[in-house]
Amino acid sequence: MTSQHQGPDTGGRVWLITGASSGFGRTLTEAALAAGDTVVAAARRPESLGELAAAHPERLVPLAVDLSDTARAGEVVAEVVDRFGRIDVLVNNAGRGLIGAVEETSDAELRSLMELHFFAPAALTRAALPHMRARKSGAVVQMSSMGGRLASSGVGAYCATKFALEGLTEALAAEVAGFGIKALIVEPGSFRTGFAGGNALQLTEALPAYEDVVGPVRNGLPDSDGLQPGDPVKAAAAILTALDAENTPLRLILGNDAVDFIAAHAEAAREEARTWEPVSRGTDFAPTPTPTQ
């Protein structure tokens, strides 16, 4: 995807990025601006983008958005299209972490996280697609996680929401390829984004029974803030490289830890499938005998 799609007043691409005030959203916003593009930066606290907006008054538009209100998705997309004539790249980035065992996670906590990580991206994607189809061009970027490919103790709810988003997007990619639209799932490992710091992580009410299994995650993940190996600036550059590639991947893994964990998980899944293959293949109806003449 190149920067050749230009509207009446704006050169370069037009991006709509959610969760743009911090983390990957902020870094992607800065990378897009550096590339000469225009960004509508959706955030709960758009005032935090004031300095960046002042430096790019014509190309950065902060927009206050509460993604828990999925009915607002159509209005947000309409605002972008009315102002710039199109959306070239939609980045569904807004998110948060939740730590807790499955039994510890309440229905309200799980539903709230699913609203943010699944239903909000789905609504924005649906709203943007008609405009992209009309132009026969565009890209939808879903910021997932290595937790969208594998799950571990203490983060089951978080991973479940990312699993759901990845499943939806895998189908989406096949559905919209013929319209010239790309779908990219980004699966980062541990990056220094503030995801785990500043009380950003939500914690479920702890049950003593899970202290040995989930306790290390409750303590270890916040302690990792600022020490993660991943560089968000390099991640943003990798995402732009993937979007500009002739053959954009469906999934872009970011970080050595993510590559290692996902590769090991895939191999374990293959080995389990091989081990249980006789049982798996033994569950079809027996072939119907061919009548003899």
Side-chain angles (χ1 to χ4, degrees):
M1 184 174 168
T2 65
S3 298
Q4 65 186 11
H5 311 295
Q6 300 184 11
D9 302 314
T10 303
R13 290 173 286 202
V14 175
W15 299 61
L16 171 58
I17 301 176
T18 68
S21 61
S22 62
F24 282 122
R26 175 71 176 234
T27 308
L28 265 175
T29 296
E30 293 171 350
L33 291 171
D37 294 343
T38 297
V39 180
V40 176
R44 287 181 295 111
R45 296 177 294 102
E47 64 275 7
S48 63
L49 292 159
E51 186 175 335
L52 197 59
H56 304 277
E58 300 299 322
R59 294 192 293 114
L60 178 62
V61 180
L63 187 64
V65 175
D66 178 5
L67 291 173
S68 65
D69 180 12
T70 55
R72 172 105 163 90
E75 297 173 4
V76 171
V77 169
E79 288 180 42
V80 180
V81 174
D82 287 346
R83 180 159 186 161
F84 296 109
R86 69 195 191 279
I87 295 176
D88 293 310
V89 186
L90 167 64
V91 181
N92 287 307
N93 166 74
R96 65 172 182 269
L98 175 66
I99 299 177
V102 172
E103 187 179 345
E104 294 170 337
T105 306
S106 70
D107 188 67
E109 288 167 329
L110 182 56
R111 287 181 182 276
S112 175
L113 201 63
M114 190 67 80
E115 287 286 349
L116 179 62
H117 289 175
F118 179 73
F119 287 106
L124 282 169
T125 299
R126 287 195 306 269
L129 284 176
H131 303 283
M132 292 181 177
R133 283 193 292 103
R135 294 180 55 83
K136 296 190 181 303
S137 174
V140 177
V141 179
Q142 311 285 32
M143 294 300 296
S144 182
S145 162
M146 67 180 181
R149 200 88 76 92
L150 55 94
S152 56
S153 300
V155 289
Y158 176 86
C159 293
T161 64
K162 296 299 187 181
F163 272 44
L165 181 63
E166 292 208 13
L168 189 79
T169 306
E170 188 166 335
L172 171 73
E175 293 165 355
V176 301
F179 301 115
I181 302 170
K182 298 180 176 183
L184 174 65
I185 300 167
V186 182
E187 298 176 329
S190 299
F191 280 76
R192 296 182 197 178
T193 61
F195 174 83
N199 298 316
L201 287 169
Q202 291 190 326
L203 306 176
T204 65
E205 185 175 348
L207 295 174
Y210 293 101
E211 177 57 31
D212 290 345
V213 178
V214 179
V217 183
R218 288 182 186 275
N219 298 322
L221 198 53
D223 288 346
S224 73
D225 185 55
L227 302 175
Q228 300 97 327
D231 181 345
V233 174
K234 292 181 179 179
I239 292 169
L240 265 65
T241 296
L243 287 175
D244 286 334
E246 182 176 353
N247 295 311
T248 295
L250 172 62
R251 288 178 169 88
L252 178 65
I253 305 171
L254 297 178
N256 284 291
D257 57 345
V259 172
D260 291 342
F261 280 124
I262 289 173
H265 181 264
E267 181 53 41
R270 281 192 293 269
E271 182 58 34
E272 183 175 75
R274 285 192 293 263
T275 300
W276 286 88
E277 185 174 1
V279 174
S280 301
R281 290 190 179 280
T283 54
D284 287 354
F285 283 108
T288 302
T290 301
T292 57
Q293 295 296 330

